[in-house]
Amino acid sequence: MSGNRDGVFRGRDGERELLSGVLDAGTGVVLVDGAAGTGKTRLLAEVATIAARRGFAVATAQDELDQPFLLARLAEREPDGPALVVLDDLHLAEPGTLAALRALLPASSHEKVVWLLARRTGEGADRLFAAALARGAVRIELRPFTDDVVADLVADLCGGVPDHDLRALASTAQGNPAELIGLVEALKEDGQLAITAGRASLRTDCPPRRTEALLRGRVSALSGRARHLLQVASVLGPRFEPGDVAEMLASSTAILLPALDEVIGAGVVTSLEDRLAFRHELVWRLVADTVPPPVRRALHREAGEMLLGRGDSAVVAAQHLLHGAQRGDVRSIDGLVAASKAVLWNAPDAAAELAVRALELTDQASASLVHRTVIAVRALIAAGKLTAAQALAQDALSRQVSPEHAAKLRHCVATTTLLGAQHAASAEISEALLAEPELPPELAPWVEITRMMALLGHDRSRAEELAEAVVRTHTGSPDDVLATALAVLAAIARDRREPGAALDLAREAAQSATSHDLCAYPQLLLATVLAGLREFAEADGVVRRARSGPSSVVTKELMVSAVQARILLQAGRIEEAAAEARDAVAVADDTGHTALVAPPSAVLAMVAIHTGDLPAAIEHVEQYRGRAGVDGIVFSRAYYQWADVLVSYVAHGLDKAMGLLTDEYPELVSSGLFAEEPRAAGWFVRRALEAGNVGLAKAVVDRVEQLAEENPGFRAVAAAALHARGLLDGDASLLELASQQHRDLWARANAAEDLGVLLSAAADRADSVKALENALGLYREIGASRDSARVLGRLRKLGRRRRAAPVRPASGWSSLDDTERAIANLVAKGQTNRQISTQLFMSPHTVNFHLRKIFRKLEISSRVELVMRSRDDQ
């Protein structure tokens, strides 16, 4: 019955229809069975009201004491018209009352009397109900509400559609309306309900005192055996295997079956497909809190050892051992160590927590102390906790340790110093380790990898010499040392203006890598080379494979984010690039990855330049100039130098930029920048001509044309050469060709703008306006507001008044752009951020960035609300 605030008649439409039919007939016996709280009394009261309105004489006993007197009056005088006799709680009636009632019940349907009799199921009046059924009575059983009816009832009571969590808590009432009403009243009294946009959810900022008391009462009503079972089960978690509980109780599932039936029947536990589960986390925590802490720790230890003993997942066992292991407990500590190793690559934070806990529980005199220290240090590095890892390693090295363990710890220090941009120190440690005759054979390849990477950032000639030696001597199957050597040579070739060699070496490096321990560097270097040549589809594929690989090591995640941010920027997806880069800088700062601050900072500087945020651009350049080593490992040194020159030009003018170029970065023009960033060639020629430095302009054109001639297969470089030559010679046809052939929107817009400026100077107003409007459209598509403003100014000088870009509404569905609408639609289909990122070829960070914008525009705060709004919109 919709709109009934106490909800008793939700889901009772069938029963009410049947009773209405009996009243229409004017005769008959209806038996109502139901458990306590199912609404028997209220149902009888409503039928009595309806009968009275239809002209029935209604006879009702006030309670079981009044029932004999009512029966006596009925025996003395038959009703002279249609009558309804209502008798409730017959399970409480005396035997004599039931006998008298049995005698009064009609044997036929000729009498115009309707008898409505109710009892609590299974608690009495059995002979009476059996006799009535034998004489043709109709029986109604008030069953618990279904889940859908429960949801409707909770919506009635709360004033909002319940979310999944609230529905789970409501399920503890087992579909009993009285229990459900009591639960909602308790939640209201505790201030636990939150109603937002028609959705009802549970708050977590208020103590649920009355709600807990109500749930605790349900648990307390169970038998001692059932409560004991629940306590042990609560230690195993919100979900548990019945067999595990039986094993911990030294029993069997068959013996525990009655207690299991009891807790399921009480609504405390529910049955899933593969296991049992507490109905709600609140119930689980209430039960768990009844176990004293020392007992809980002992049970966790027993659970962990049970799982280890039968060969179950070390990770699951470790969850218990974390809570229950004690100092010197060798078996439990070994379990923590095994679990740490098992999850090192896919869950490094958990691995670090497990390893450090194992180390804390290890006696200082234990022979395993140093071995466990090595494991903890490695786990801390994987989790990005570089400062803690280095401190722990150096502390251990300050004590007497075996040469083997000392070598492992020193290699860990070499790794942390490398990631901290201390390349010389890292190379020195690695060189010393490789010179030791007793270096463990399994460690030597990783030390060699660390040495080559450190030298790439410190001494390139030495790095090249070592890498070439590795390539000459590693003639067998692919391995990680070979992959690193090839990647080092690829990075050097990239920076030497050898894009063809760089691409070939990077491809071979990516194919040679065999381990995720390398943090995907060979693959990511290949992606940067491909993106520089504007092969975005292939570059995106490489990054996606790297991101979805088995390793979640923080260093890899940071490198992936930095490379992805730059690819997004190059492809003109400026907002997504900024979001990815900001996340990378924040994580690099927090974790001490100084070597990985520069790449995303350079991307942010470029973004800030093109969006007109000069203070931010200066800040980002200063960040990597002053605090982060610009090592040329991920991106080339030339890329950082170009960003610096760009910012100097915008901030201080042409003279400052040219001075920086000739005094600090004289090698920039002869570097591999024009293959890594083809649009840079046009910028340099433009600025050189602006400064009157024709010699510099010619040098740039010669460089880029030579690059295009040596690498005829690279269309991006060929377009850059056309662009540069068109600017130098003032050739409109070359600039128009470049604007068509450039492989990214930004370079295409630059060429179109240069064409418009050239045609304007030649007084070709119509074609100039056309070219500038083309450039304006491309800049707006990218989101380059500063560049758009510059072109608008040029158009105004030509007498062409253009309005600013159409402004979307600030809120509502129409305010969403295409990307935001696509993400909203996928969320409405139940997709996770990671699933959406795969479909839309962006990172989960970028998806989250767009989601925040969507929430703000739609004035909502959760995915659930987004789903509801999406359905309403459709």
Side-chain angles (χ1 to χ4, degrees):
M1 178 174 165
S2 179
N4 189 28
R5 296 295 295 177
D6 62 14
V8 171
F9 294 112
R10 275 286 188 185
R12 302 297 187 210
D13 292 341
E15 290 86 345
R16 296 176 71 246
E17 184 178 349
L18 186 151
L19 287 166
S20 180
V22 174
L23 290 178
D24 289 341
T27 184
V29 178
V30 180
L31 309 175
V32 180
D33 264 316
T38 51
K40 299 184 302 298
T41 301
R42 181 59 189 272
L43 179 62
L44 267 56
E46 175 163 318
V47 174
T49 300
I50 295 172
R53 286 202 296 265
R54 295 188 185 185
F56 279 73
V58 179
T60 305
Q62 299 298 316
D63 52 34
E64 66 272 16
L65 298 178
D66 187 38
Q67 290 170 354
F69 298 100
L70 173 62
L71 294 177
R73 290 194 298 273
L74 292 172
E76 292 174 358
R77 180 173 58 85
E78 292 185 2
D80 53 5
L84 172 67
V85 180
V86 181
L87 292 172
D88 195 6
D89 293 333
L90 286 173
H91 57 283
L92 300 176
E94 295 291 335
T97 302
L98 295 175
L101 179 57
R102 200 161 53 247
L104 280 174
L105 288 181
S108 69
S109 59
H110 298 301
E111 299 179 15
K112 290 297 182 179
V113 179
V114 174
W115 293 79
L116 188 53
L117 313 179
R119 66 164 181 176
R120 192 173 294 173
T121 305
E123 295 191 18
D126 292 341
R127 291 182 61 192
L128 169 67
F129 273 53
L133 287 170
R135 297 179 187 180
V138 176
R139 180 173 177 265
I140 292 175
E141 183 179 3
L142 298 183
R143 296 181 179 277
F145 286 159
T146 63
D147 290 344
D148 289 344
V149 175
V150 168
D152 290 339
L153 175 52
V154 174
D156 284 346
L157 296 170
C158 297
V161 178
D163 65 6
H164 176 77
D165 191 40
L166 180 53
R167 289 182 67 162
L169 183 58
S171 73
T172 62
Q174 291 283 81
N176 186 296
E179 295 280 349
L180 204 53
I181 292 168
L183 175 62
V184 173
E185 288 175 350
L187 290 170
K188 288 181 177 179
E189 186 174 314
D190 287 334
Q192 287 283 295
L193 290 175
I195 311 298
T196 307
R199 303 287 295 179
S201 58
L202 294 173
R203 295 174 57 182
T204 57
D205 55 347
C206 302
R209 293 189 178 90
R210 188 179 167 196
T211 307
E212 287 185 350
L214 186 150
L215 296 173
R216 195 177 292 113
R218 292 180 188 170
V219 174
S220 300
L222 297 171
S223 68
R225 187 175 181 83
R227 292 198 304 275
H228 185 197
L229 180 148
L230 285 176
Q231 287 179 314
V232 174
S234 72
V235 172
L236 294 172
R239 300 183 178 194
F240 58 91
E241 296 276 1
D244 290 345
V245 179
E247 186 172 346
M248 290 189 67
L249 289 170
S251 182
S252 69
T253 306
I255 293 173
L256 294 181
L257 193 56
L260 289 168
D261 284 342
E262 184 179 353
V263 297
I264 293 172
V268 177
V269 167
T270 187
S271 177
L272 305 177
E273 289 185 4
D274 58 342
R275 62 188 65 192
L276 299 179
F278 285 88
R279 285 272 183 177
H280 192 269
E281 184 178 350
L282 187 56
V283 180
W284 168 56
R285 294 196 180 282
L286 282 172
V287 173
D289 287 345
T290 65
V291 184
V295 178
R296 192 182 308 131
R297 285 194 295 272
L299 287 171
H300 274 301
R301 186 167 62 254
E302 290 177 14
E305 292 180 354
M306 172 188 73
L307 295 170
L308 283 177
R310 68 186 190 203
D312 278 14
S313 166
V315 178
V316 177
Q319 293 174 349
H320 294 291
L321 297 176
L322 270 174
H323 298 289
Q326 295 178 324
R327 179 173 292 279
D329 183 355
V330 176
R331 180 175 171 79
S332 295
I333 297 171
D334 285 344
L336 292 173
V337 172
S340 176
K341 291 179 178 179
V343 300
L344 179 62
W345 302 116
N346 59 5
D349 278 331
E353 182 183 1
L354 293 166
V356 169
R357 181 60 179 155
L359 193 59
E360 290 171 349
L361 296 172
T362 302
D363 290 332
Q364 292 299 302
S366 171
S368 301
L369 179 66
V370 181
H371 171 66
R372 291 171 185 165
T373 299
V374 171
I375 293 171
V377 170
R378 287 175 171 171
L380 286 167
I381 292 173
K385 305 177 189 300
L386 302 184
T387 302
Q390 187 165 342
L392 184 59
Q394 289 177 334
D395 178 67
L397 286 168
S398 68
R399 300 189 297 271
Q400 188 172 0
V401 297
S402 69
E404 178 183 351
H405 287 125
K408 292 176 179 177
L409 290 169
R410 288 166 62 196
H411 177 243
C412 289
V413 173
T415 302
T416 58
T417 52
L418 170 63
L419 297 175
Q422 302 172 52
H423 302 103
S426 179
E428 183 180 352
I429 297 170
S430 302
E431 294 270 12
L433 279 170
L434 289 167
E436 292 187 358
E438 296 183 3
L439 181 68
E442 71 277 7
L443 184 62
W446 300 110
V447 178
E448 183 62 79
I449 288 169
T450 304
R451 176 172 69 163
M452 281 191 285
M453 294 299 296
L455 288 171
L456 181 60
H458 170 61
D459 184 345
R460 291 213 153 188
S461 61
R462 176 73 172 140
E464 184 176 20
E465 176 188 336
L466 289 172
E468 288 176 343
V470 168
V471 172
R472 283 196 306 272
T473 56
H474 282 62
T475 56
S477 59
D479 62 50
D480 294 317
V481 176
L482 176 61
T484 304
L486 290 166
V488 165
L489 293 174
I492 293 171
R494 171 196 65 186
D495 300 347
R496 277 185 181 164
R497 208 162 50 89
E498 299 172 5
L503 183 58
D504 291 342
L505 288 164
R507 285 193 193 281
E508 191 177 354
Q511 293 167 0
S512 297
T514 61
S515 170
H516 50 257
D517 296 9
L518 281 181
C519 300
Y521 177 70
Q523 294 92 331
L524 294 173
L525 182 66
L526 171 61
T528 65
V529 174
L530 287 167
L533 297 170
R534 298 321 189 241
E535 301 292 341
F536 292 128
E538 189 177 354
D540 276 339
V542 173
V543 173
R544 280 203 311 277
R545 288 192 294 275
R547 182 162 247 149
S548 62
S551 172
S552 295
V553 171
V554 170
T555 303
K556 188 203 87 167
E557 296 292 330
L558 277 170
M559 291 178 65
V560 170
S561 287
V563 171
Q564 178 75 82
R566 185 172 165 198
I567 293 174
L568 290 167
L569 178 66
Q570 291 166 324
R573 294 157 64 179
I574 190 168
E575 287 190 349
E576 297 170 47
E580 191 86 45
R582 276 195 295 269
D583 285 339
V585 169
V587 174
D589 273 337
D590 289 344
T591 58
H593 279 76
T594 308
L596 296 178
V597 172
S601 295
V603 171
L604 289 173
M606 291 288 194
V607 168
I609 282 295
H610 292 289
T611 56
D613 190 351
L614 182 57
I618 294 172
E619 179 184 347
H620 293 309
V621 169
E622 288 179 348
Q623 184 172 36
Y624 69 71
R625 286 182 90 186
R627 296 199 301 109
V630 179
D631 48 53
I633 294 177
V634 182
F635 303 154
S636 72
R637 289 192 178 101
Y639 182 71
Y640 302 107
Q641 293 168 352
W642 183 43
D644 196 356
V645 172
L646 271 174
V647 172
S648 295
Y649 173 73
V650 175
H652 307 292
L654 182 62
D655 291 343
K656 177 69 173 178
M658 290 295 103
L660 187 64
L661 181 61
T662 55
D663 296 339
E664 290 196 40
Y665 306 138
E667 74 283 3
L668 185 55
V669 171
S670 60
S671 71
L673 177 65
F674 304 137
E676 188 179 11
E677 286 293 340
R679 68 190 183 94
W683 190 90
F684 275 106
V685 173
R686 197 182 307 119
R687 298 289 83 85
L689 293 175
E690 184 183 348
N693 192 338
V694 179
L696 176 61
K698 288 181 177 179
V700 171
V701 172
D702 289 345
R703 292 289 186 186
V704 74
E705 286 183 337
Q706 181 184 359
L707 197 61
E709 184 180 347
E710 292 171 350
N711 301 275
F714 297 151
R715 291 179 290 170
V717 178
L722 287 173
H723 192 170
R725 174 58 68 179
L727 278 169
L728 179 64
D729 294 349
D731 189 327
S733 62
L734 290 180
L735 290 176
E736 185 174 9
L737 195 57
S739 71
Q740 296 168 356
Q741 294 188 4
H742 267 307
R743 308 202 68 200
D744 67 78
L745 297 179
W746 228 319
R748 203 175 302 159
N750 289 163
E753 182 181 0
D754 288 334
L755 175 60
V757 171
L758 179 63
L759 293 173
S760 173
D764 189 345
R765 181 180 176 280
D767 286 343
S768 174
V769 168
K770 182 180 177 181
L772 291 172
E773 287 187 335
N774 181 29
L776 180 62
L778 291 168
Y779 284 137
R780 282 177 170 173
E781 184 177 347
I782 295 166
S785 53
R786 178 177 177 275
D787 300 304
S788 297
R790 183 181 61 245
V791 175
L792 278 171
R794 296 189 192 281
L795 285 168
R796 280 194 293 270
K797 289 180 180 179
L798 292 172
R800 182 75 170 183
R801 296 289 176 180
R802 284 290 303 267
R803 293 182 178 180
V807 178
R808 292 181 183 273
S811 61
W813 283 100
S814 57
S815 70
L816 304 184
D817 62 27
D818 292 341
T819 300
E820 291 162 353
R821 188 172 287 275
I823 289 172
N825 288 335
L826 290 173
V827 169
K829 293 176 182 177
Q831 298 277 322
T832 65
N833 283 12
R834 187 163 290 280
Q835 289 169 327
I836 294 170
S837 71
T838 301
Q839 291 200 43
L840 299 184
F841 308 109
M842 59 181 66
S843 75
H845 292 306
T846 306
V847 174
N848 192 49
F849 164 73
H850 283 300
L851 265 181
R852 291 196 298 270
K853 291 176 63 180
I854 293 168
F855 289 171
R856 185 178 69 252
K857 289 180 178 181
L858 298 184
E859 298 178 346
I860 58 178
S861 58
S862 71
R863 300 172 80 92
V864 172
E865 292 177 74
L866 179 55
V867 171
M868 298 302 295
R869 288 288 296 273
S870 177
R871 290 174 181 170
D872 292 344
D873 183 57
Q874 291 172 0

